[in-house]
């Protein structure tokens, strides 16, 4: 972590929420976007990129410090893309390169469709998209079962089902259905993700023609260690639909959190066109 990095924090009022954002560094603008991961998860990677980039990170609507006027409102990729567009406009340094991972990759793709003027490059890292795969109805039903399990109060069971659906081997505590202890903010963000974000994110249907033929350079990213997992399959299917090949990044689904120093050089290569 670069201890000398200066972080400017701010809030932006949008029509139905107050968004928290952070800005680091100087240089070409890059936004790091998650869902449900907030700005804190991207901080070490942002510090590394801030050596030669202006880096925007943000808490997605309804999570952590980005507060909704109506707390039970669902978070859709379209709404998150609108938020990101307004943040980029607010900074006035665009168009930007946008790196989105997991649900944030869906946000980034939605931005490329709805607000192509805001980004010159979108890197969609492991987007969880049911509707680029076979049997989308069955996959949607599996998500509904996960959500219903969580809503019933069986938090551990919901996590086990989530990991099974993602084809990610559970850790020992997850196998037992006993989640690790978390603070109230983590619990609130988990609840919002299960009940108000997961459904709309996984059901989002990409406009392939707009992504393929539009002005934004769209890169489909996948983790080297994600072979056979749900987001590996969705990334391969999305890249095929776009007529490209997935761009391989080191590590797995959250490699930018687990090893930001190992992830940053590859991200720089892709940002530079490699």
């Amino acid at each position: 972590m670069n201890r000398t990095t200066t972080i400017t924090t701010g809030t932006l009022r949008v029509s139905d929420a107050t968004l928290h954002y952070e800005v680091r560094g100087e240089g070409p603008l890059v936004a790091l976007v998650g869902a449900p991961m907030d700005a804190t998860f991207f901080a070490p990677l942002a510090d590394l990129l801030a050596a030669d980039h202006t880096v925007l990170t943000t808490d997605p609507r309804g999570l952590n410090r980005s507060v909704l006027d109506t707390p039970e409102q669902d978070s859709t990729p379209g709404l998150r893309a609108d938020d990101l567009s307004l943040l980029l406009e607010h900074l006035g340094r665009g168009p930007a390169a946008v790196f989105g991972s997991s649900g944030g990759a869906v946000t980034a793709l939605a931005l490329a469709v709805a607000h192509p003027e805001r980004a010159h490059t979108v890197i969609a890292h492991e987007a969880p998209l049911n509707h680029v795969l076979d049997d989308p109805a069955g996959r949607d039903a599996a998500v509904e079962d996960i959500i219903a399990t969580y809503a019933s109060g069986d938090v551990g069971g919901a996590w086990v089902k989530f990991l099974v659906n993602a084809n990610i081997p559970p850790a020992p505590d997850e196998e037992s259905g006993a989640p690790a202890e978390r603070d109230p903010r983590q619990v609130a963000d988990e609840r919002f993700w299960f009940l108000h974000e997961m459904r709309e994110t996984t059901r989002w249907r990409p406009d392939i023609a707009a992504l393929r033929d539009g002005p934004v350079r769209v890169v489909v990213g996948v983790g080297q260690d994600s072979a056979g997992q749900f987001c590996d399959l969705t990334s391969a299917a999305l890249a095929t639909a776009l007529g490209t090949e997935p761009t391989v990044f080191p590590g797995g689904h959250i490699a930018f959190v687990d090893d930001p120093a190992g992830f940053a050089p590859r991200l720089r290569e892709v940002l530079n066109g490699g």
Side-chain angles (χ1 to χ4, degrees), residues 14 16 19 33-37 58-63 66 68 73-88 98 101-112 114-115 127-129 192-193 196-204:
V14 298
D16 58 354
L19 307 175
V33 185
M37 287 186 171
T58 182
D59 294 350
R61 58 173 40 235
L63 294 166
S66 286
L68 291 170
Q73 179 186 14
D74 287 344
S75 172
T76 70
L79 287 172
R80 299 197 302 270
D82 291 345
D83 291 344
L84 183 55
S85 175
L86 291 169
L87 284 166
L88 293 170
V98 179
S101 188
S102 194
V106 185
T107 305
L109 292 167
L111 179 80
H115 305 283
L129 296 170
F192 187 83
W193 175 56
H196 297 294
E197 186 176 274
M198 184 185 298
R199 175 186 294 110
E200 296 294 336
T201 297
T202 57
R203 287 191 175 200
W204 189 75

Side-chain angles (χ1 to χ4, degrees), residues 32-34 37-47 57 99 101 256-257:
L32 306 178
V33 185
M37 287 186 171
D38 62 28
T40 61
F41 289 90
F42 290 93
L45 178 61
D47 285 335
T57 57
F99 171 83
S101 188
F256 58 91
V257 178

Side-chain angles (χ1 to χ4, degrees), residues 211-232:
L211 293 170
R212 184 187 61 228
D213 304 329
V216 181
R217 172 188 172 226
V218 177
V219 177
V220 179
V222 67
Q224 184 176 17
D225 297 339
S226 298
Q229 295 178 7
F230 172 67
C231 286
D232 175 55

